[in-house]
């Protein structure tokens, strides 16, 4: 189990991480979701030991690892851009770590060959060892990067936006493969990404990094349907978050959230009595095939979205620039009492 307690990291005036508490359990695929610049790479670099925190502790199975040299931590790192050696073959890239690592380097060529073959087989690159890394596809380069990390049998594998450089089709395939490879190995993967879809698809558990902290860490379905903070809700890209005061005094000074698919639209003054409602102007719609998004602006300027599924259309014909009432059942409401 990897544990981060109260980890902070500053760069001059920039607070990259501000008291991160975070646990990655054994044998788990953990996704870490955060916007660009939220400190995802910094967090991985601190775990790997490429940098040290200004405050806090990092431990694996209750043993402190912060302060230890990176090569003593047994942590694998798959870099965002793969960082392969362009002049080496696939097999040489994978073998490199075994041959030249600071701790316990291998010199027995047949052992190196065996372990390299095994790692290539694990990632589905059996028979590609002799190729140059310039002569394989992006998805294959991704697998070489993974094999190069796995060959050293790390205790945990950190993956920095590992699918970012791949096109959409390949990304979906690699998602399945990464999960399958991890399950075969039984070591935990910590996969950071800016994509909520990727985080929710991949993770047995998903943590959200916002404002320098982990704001929530939960099973994907729990996080999606029961965000505990406004930040977590916003990161799901499925919730409107807004000032409860828009729906009347009872909710004023609270940030509240309602899912895009749980809001309805009607002419002003015609919302059901037992629903909460707010006034908003219809801005525009966006048709995405099976779903349609409608965008509204509330009186305080907040942008709200409603999603309609083609199979179950709920929205009336809307006229741009007109005012409507947006309404929802109180069961659809999530309240965040002064949460950051
Ligand atoms: P992410 O990976 O989520 O995009 P980073 O961890 O790269 O975010 O960066 C988090 C914040 O820390 C950013 O504001 C970034 O500019 C800053 N930062 C990261 N590394 C350095 C550095 N070496 N020197 C100064 N600022 C840095
Ligand atoms: Mg990054």
């Amino acid at each position: 189990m990897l544990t981060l307690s109260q980890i902070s990291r500053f760069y001059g005036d920039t607070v990259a991480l501000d008291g991160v508490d975070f646990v990655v359990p054994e044998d788990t695929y953990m996704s870490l979701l955060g916007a660009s610049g939220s400190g995802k790479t910094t967090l991985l670099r601190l775990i790997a030991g490429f940098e040290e925190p200004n405050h806090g502790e990092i431990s694996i199975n209750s043993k402190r690892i912060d302060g230890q040299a990176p090569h003593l931590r047994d942590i694998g790192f798959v870099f965002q851009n793969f960082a392969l050696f362009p002049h080496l073959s696939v097999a040489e890239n994978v073998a490199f770590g075994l041959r030249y690592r600071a701790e316990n380097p291998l010199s027995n060529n047949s052992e190196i060959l065996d372990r390299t073959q095994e790692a290539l087989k694990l990632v589905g690159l059996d028979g590609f060892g002799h190729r140059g890394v310039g002569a394989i596809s992006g998805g294959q380069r991704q697998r070489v990067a993974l094999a190069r990390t796995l060959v050293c049998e790390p205790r945990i594998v950190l993956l920095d936006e590992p699918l970012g450089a791949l096109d959409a089709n390949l990304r979906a395939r690699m998602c399945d493969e990464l999960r399958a490879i991890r399950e075969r190995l039984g070591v935990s993967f910590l996969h950071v990404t800016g994509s909520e879809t990727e985080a929710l698809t991949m993770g047995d558990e998903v943590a959200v990094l916002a404002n320098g902290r982990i704001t929530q860490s939960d099973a994907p379905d729990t996080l999606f349907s029961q965000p505990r903070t406004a930040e977590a809700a916003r990161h799901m890209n499925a919730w409107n978050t807004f000032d409860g005061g828009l729906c009347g005094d009872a909710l004023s000074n609270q940030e509240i959230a309602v899912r895009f698919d749980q809001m309805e639209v009607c002419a002003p003054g015609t919302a059901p009595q037992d629903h909460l409602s707010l006034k908003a102007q219809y801005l525009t719609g966006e048709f995405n095939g099976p779903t349609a998004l409608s965008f509204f602006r509330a009186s305080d300027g907040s942008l709200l979205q409603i999603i309609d599924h083609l199979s179950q259309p709920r929205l009336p014909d809307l006229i741009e620039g007109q005012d409507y009432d947006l309404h929802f059942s109180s069961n659809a409401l999530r309240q965040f009492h002064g949460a950051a």
Side-chain angles (χ1 to χ4, degrees), residues 40-41 80 160-161:
K40 302 184 295 298
T41 298
Q80 196 161 6
D160 195 357
E161 308 205 27

Side-chain angles (χ1 to χ4, degrees), residues 239-270:
W239 292 82
N240 292 307
T241 56
F242 52 99
D243 177 1
L246 290 169
C247 299
D249 293 342
L251 293 172
S252 62
N253 299 320
Q254 284 184 40
E255 193 155 27
I256 65 174
V258 180
R259 237 166 52 197
F260 297 169
D261 60 330
Q262 293 182 327
M263 268 194 164
E264 298 180 67
V265 185
C266 64
T270 65

Side-chain angles (χ1 to χ4, degrees), residues 29-32 159 162-163 178 189-193 198 202:
Y29 205 118
M30 173 68 82
S31 300
L32 179 72
L159 303 116
L163 308 176
L178 280 174
F189 278 19
L190 173 56
H191 171 145
V192 315
T193 175
E198 189 175 310
M202 299 301 290

